[in-house]
Amino acid sequence: GGVVAQAPSRQAQIHGSLSREEIAKVVNAHLQAVRACYERALLKEPGLAGKLIIEWTIDPNGVVTEFKTKSSSIRNPDVAECILDNLKTWHFPKPDGGQVVVSYPFIFNSVGF
């Protein structure tokens, strides 16, 4: 299977009023979907590994309105595309004082492939 290790939440960059813990709680709740995106690509490319940094904007209602790959060392663009498709459905706590911009790292390693 594939292992998705999120970098310690202190490596996440957050500009706005939500805490790293609030962001990490939502990300952790969706980590299985992130893992599924990675494992699908891993079936086609055994040994696929790397780091992916995703940036997204959370509006005042807690909805993800903008999202993009900030950087990636993963050779397969399908992983990021799949995660971004999932990310747009995630709901975060309503931030105080406007929108929040998050830059979040995910680290992917294969196990047994």
Side-chain angles (χ1 to χ4, degrees):
V3 176
V4 180
Q6 41 177 99
S9 62
R10 69 181 186 283
Q11 290 184 1
Q13 295 179 3
I14 301 165
H15 302 282
S17 65
L18 290 177
S19 71
R20 284 178 165 79
E21 293 75 23
E22 289 171 305
I23 300 293
K25 184 176 180 181
V26 175
V27 171
N28 286 336
H30 294 278
L31 210 49
Q32 187 59 40
V34 172
R35 185 178 297 117
C37 290
Y38 173 55
E39 287 182 345
R40 248 190 313 278
L42 200 55
L43 290 172
K44 297 175 187 171
E45 282 186 66
L48 183 67
K51 182 177 181 179
L52 175 65
I53 299 176
I54 303 235
E55 183 175 278
W56 66 89
T57 302
I58 303 166
D59 77 4
N61 293 314
V63 175
V64 176
T65 57
E66 297 175 33
F67 44 89
K68 67 179 180 181
T69 300
K70 191 169 181 180
S71 70
S72 177
S73 64
I74 297 177
R75 297 182 316 270
N76 188 325
D78 293 343
V79 176
E81 195 173 307
C82 177
I83 293 169
L84 292 173
D85 281 345
N86 279 282
L87 175 65
K88 63 186 172 188
T89 68
W90 299 2
H91 293 281
F92 291 83
K94 292 181 180 181
D96 294 327
Q99 69 181 20
V100 175
V101 178
V102 179
S103 183
Y104 207 93
F106 295 94
I107 300 167
F108 300 91
N109 291 302
S110 61
V111 177
F113 271 77

